Amino acid sequence: MLKKVFGSAVFGVEATTVTVEVNTDAGIGYHLVGLPDNAIKESNFRIAAALQNNGYRIPGKKIIINMSPADLRKEGSAYDLTLAIGILASSNQIQADNLERYLIMGELSLDGTLQPIKGALPIAVKAREEGFKGFILPKENAKEAAIVDNLEIYGIENITQVINFFDKGETLEQTIINTREEFEKNLNYPEFDFSDVRGQEGIKRCMEIAAAGGHNIILIGPPGAGKTMLAKRLPSILPPMTLHEALETTKIHSVVGRTKDVGLMAQRPFRSPHHTISNVALVGGGSYPQPGEISLSHNGVLFLDELPEFKREVLEVMRQPLEDREVTISRAKFTVTYPSSFMLVASMNPSPSGYFNDPNAPVTSSPAEMQRYLSKISGPLLDRIDIHIEVTPVPFDKLSDDRKGESSVEIRKRVTKARDVQTKRFANSDAVHYNAQMNTKQIRSYCVLDEASKQLLKTAMERLNLSARAYDRILKVSRTIADLEGVEAINGSHISEAIQYRSMDREGWLG
C-alpha cells in the first residue's frame, strides 16, 4: 500500500517541501532512495526501536521509501518521525486519512521521545505558503514555528501522541503565540552600559555616529585603552529591531539550531569570533553549506578583536559581503545566498608590542615592525571601514572620577531619532534602510555639498591620497553627522569631522 507523508529540507534560509512516499509490498527488504545522507540511512534503526518500545513494529515486508524530489540532497535526522508515520500508515497499523494536510518533522529517540530539529521557522513559512493545515514537530521548536500565523502548530513530546492524533482522533495541544507580544516581551537590552566607561568622550561620539548610520568602525590603540569595553557596549545604543528584522534574524539562527525555546529573537546579535577562525566558519559554506559568523550577525554587530591576528585570507573573503551585504556560496549542483547586513567593529593595537612610540612603555617596536604589522590589513578592506579612530589610554584623574558618564538609554534616543530620519528618507527603497547602505546614486542625491565643503573635501582627498571609495565613505559619515544634528544640509563642520575619522589613510599617523 502506498502512503505519502510530507517533510521539508532547508537550503540557505529557505525551505523546500519533501514528499516521502512509502510503499509496503510482499517480500522482504528496506530500501530508502532519493539522495538521503548517512543520518537518514541510519534512521531505520532508531525508528525500529522507537516503534518497538511503543507497541508497534516495522513490518516484515518489502518497504520502499522515496524522498521526492529525488535529485535534492536530504540531510539530518529530522525525517525520523516523517518516515515512521509513513511506515505505520502504509502497513495499515494506523488509519491516517488526513496525512496530506500536515507537515511532519522530528528526530526520534529510541524510546519514542522527540529531539529538536533545525530550521523550524523557514519550514513553517514554507508550509503556510503551500497551504498545509498544520505542522507537527518537537515541543522545543514549537514556539519558534508558532511565529508563523494561519498555520496550526503542534509541539509534541512522544511519537504516541502523533499516532493517537491520526489513528484515534485524539486532540493535540496547539501552540499559539501573539508575534507582536512575544517580540515586545523579548525586547531587552544588554547589561553593558556606556555609563560604565570613564572618559573617552571622543570615542563615544564615534560610536554614536557609527550606530546612527550603521557604519563599520575600527578602534586603534594600546592595550588597556578600553577598545573591547567600548565595542561590547555598542549593541546597547543601537535602535531596537523592527519586527521584520527580528523575523529575518530568527530565520538564520533557526537554520543552525540556535533558537530552541526562544521563539522570536528581539535582541540584535553580537558575534565575537576568535582570531583562529577559518574563512568557511566566518563567511559560511562547507560541503553542505551553513551560515557563517557574518550571517549570524545579520542586523547586529560582528566584533573582530585584534584584527591583525586574523589570517589575511580570512579577512579578504569578507570584502565582498561587506560591500554587497549578502554572501553567495556556490556548489556544483546548487547555490545558496545568506544575508549578511552587519556592522563591523574591529579593534587592533598599533604595533606588535601594543604601544605607540611611548618612551615609558615596557616594549617598543621599530617603525619597520609597525609597518609590517599594519600591512597585515589590506587597503581595500580598510577602505570598506567608514570610521577609523585612535583610542588613547584614560588618564588617572578621569579613571578615578566618581561621576557617571552618559547612559546608553540617552545615547540610544539620539541614535533612534537619526535612524527615523533615514527610514523616512529611504522609505521607497527595499534594499537601503540607513546611510551606510547608500549606493553611489543615492550618495549623489542625498549628500549634496556647497562650494566651501567641496573645496575642503578636495584638499583632504589630495593630501591624504584617498580612494574613490574613501570619498564615498566620508560623504556617508557626514550625512549621518548631519542627521544626528537634525539638519538637512551637510556643511563644512560635518565634512571636517568625517575626515578626522580616516586615521589609517593619513601618512605617518603614528608620528
Side-chain angles (χ1 to χ4, degrees), residues 435-455:
N435 291 338
Q437 295 175 323
M438 283 193 287
N439 58 34
T440 310
K441 189 179 177 183
Q442 287 160 331
I443 291 169
R444 299 291 172 267
S445 177
Y446 298 118
C447 303
V448 180
L449 304 181
D450 57 33
E451 204 51 52
S453 301
K454 271 185 190 170
Q455 198 54 47

Side-chain angles (χ1 to χ4, degrees), residues 57-333:
R57 61 188 173 79
I58 289 186
K61 294 186 176 182
K62 185 179 182 181
I63 300 169
I64 298 173
I65 302 172
N66 176 42
M67 304 181 81
S68 169
D71 62 341
L72 189 77
R73 182 178 159 86
K74 331 294 182 303
E75 68 146 14
S77 50
Y79 297 97
D80 290 0
L81 184 62
T82 325
L83 299 174
I85 296 298
I87 290 166
L88 290 174
S90 176
S91 59
N92 277 328
Q93 292 183 66
I94 63 168
Q95 294 301 313
D97 299 325
N98 56 347
L99 267 179
E100 72 284 345
R101 301 179 70 191
Y102 294 90
L103 200 139
I104 304 168
M105 295 290 282
E107 178 190 331
L108 284 172
S109 294
L110 299 188
D111 61 355
T113 56
L114 266 89
Q115 301 299 325
I117 62 170
K118 293 178 181 178
L121 180 56
I123 293 170
V125 170
K126 190 68 176 176
R128 182 184 63 182
E129 269 177 33
E130 302 214 336
F132 284 96
K133 183 185 178 187
F135 181 16
I136 296 168
L137 76 169
K139 196 167 187 176
E140 289 95 329
N141 300 111
K143 272 180 84 175
E144 172 193 337
I147 294 167
V148 180
D149 55 4
N150 301 325
L151 182 72
E152 293 173 11
I153 302 296
Y154 298 110
I156 58 161
E157 293 175 346
N158 193 287
I159 189 172
T160 51
Q161 291 175 264
V162 189
I163 293 169
N164 293 340
F165 173 69
F166 286 113
D167 192 34
K168 299 173 183 172
E170 287 186 11
T171 55
L172 290 174
E173 189 184 341
Q174 190 178 339
T175 305
I176 300 169
I177 281 178
N178 183 317
T179 308
R180 191 158 289 282
E181 269 181 26
E182 181 75 6
F183 175 61
E184 285 166 5
K185 187 179 80 180
N186 293 345
L187 200 61
N188 52 15
Y189 281 90
E191 56 190 296
F192 301 119
D193 198 280
F194 266 92
S195 59
D196 303 332
V197 181
R198 300 279 185 267
Q200 304 291 25
E201 300 308 323
I203 318 301
K204 286 183 192 172
R205 165 75 175 165
C206 268
M207 288 291 195
E208 186 179 328
I209 293 166
H215 301 289
N216 302 323
I217 182 169
I218 184 165
L219 308 169
I220 312 137
K227 302 186 294 295
T228 306
M229 186 183 187
L230 285 155
K232 284 184 176 174
R233 279 155 181 75
L234 182 62
S236 70
I237 63 168
L238 288 171
M241 277 206 283
T242 63
L243 190 56
H244 175 71
E245 285 177 328
L247 284 163
E248 252 187 351
T249 308
T250 308
K251 219 173 175 185
I252 298 165
H253 286 252
S254 171
V255 170
V256 290
R258 293 175 184 268
T259 47
K260 262 192 318 182
D261 294 322
V262 173
L264 190 63
M265 286 179 66
Q267 222 174 313
R268 290 189 183 274
F270 179 85
R271 309 290 299 179
S272 180
H274 192 258
H275 60 253
T276 53
I277 192 169
S278 68
N279 46 12
V280 169
L282 185 69
V283 176
S287 56
Y288 204 80
Q290 286 279 292
E293 289 289 339
I294 63 170
S295 295
L296 292 173
S297 55
H298 179 63
N299 289 325
V301 176
L302 177 69
F303 176 45
L304 301 183
D305 204 1
E306 305 299 342
L307 194 66
E309 300 301 332
F310 284 79
K311 292 194 281 289
R312 189 177 172 113
E313 66 269 20
V314 171
L315 297 177
E316 293 309 298
V317 294
M318 268 203 321
R319 279 159 52 174
Q320 180 260 333
L322 274 171
E323 201 71 27
D324 298 345
R325 299 192 177 269
E326 63 179 25
V327 58
T328 301
I329 297 156
S330 298
R331 293 291 175 268
K333 290 187 179 177

Side-chain angles (χ1 to χ4, degrees), residues 275-428:
H275 60 253
T276 53
I277 192 169
S278 68
N279 46 12
V280 169
L282 185 69
V283 176
S287 56
Y288 204 80
Q290 286 279 292
E293 289 289 339
I294 63 170
S295 295
L296 292 173
S297 55
H298 179 63
N299 289 325
V301 176
L302 177 69
F303 176 45
L304 301 183
D305 204 1
E306 305 299 342
L307 194 66
E309 300 301 332
F310 284 79
K311 292 194 281 289
R312 189 177 172 113
E313 66 269 20
V314 171
L315 297 177
E316 293 309 298
V317 294
M318 268 203 321
R319 279 159 52 174
Q320 180 260 333
L322 274 171
E323 201 71 27
D324 298 345
R325 299 192 177 269
E326 63 179 25
V327 58
T328 301
I329 297 156
S330 298
R331 293 291 175 268
K333 290 187 179 177
F334 58 88
T335 300
V336 295
T337 300
Y338 294 112
S340 60
S341 181
F342 60 93
M343 260 185 79
L344 174 65
V345 180
S347 75
M348 61 176 284
N349 297 325
S351 64
S353 68
Y355 294 91
F356 287 91
N357 294 335
D358 183 357
N360 302 317
V363 183
T364 55
S365 303
S366 68
E369 285 174 323
M370 284 186 174
Q371 200 54 50
R372 200 179 308 118
Y373 184 72
L374 292 172
S375 66
K376 288 184 180 181
I377 304 160
S378 69
L381 180 64
L382 280 174
D383 258 359
R384 287 168 170 82
I385 299 175
D386 306 358
I387 298 173
H388 311 155
I389 188 73
E390 294 169 44
V391 184
T392 51
V394 183
F396 179 77
D397 56 336
K398 284 194 177 175
L399 209 54
S400 57
D401 194 347
D402 290 334
R403 282 178 301 177
K404 275 210 160 192
E406 195 175 23
S407 73
S408 291
V409 177
E410 291 161 350
I411 301 171
R412 188 166 66 241
K413 281 177 188 169
R414 295 197 296 269
V415 169
T416 306
K417 196 175 173 186
R419 281 279 181 109
D420 289 342
V421 172
Q422 294 163 52
T423 303
K424 286 175 190 166
R425 179 181 296 140
F426 305 119
N428 297 326

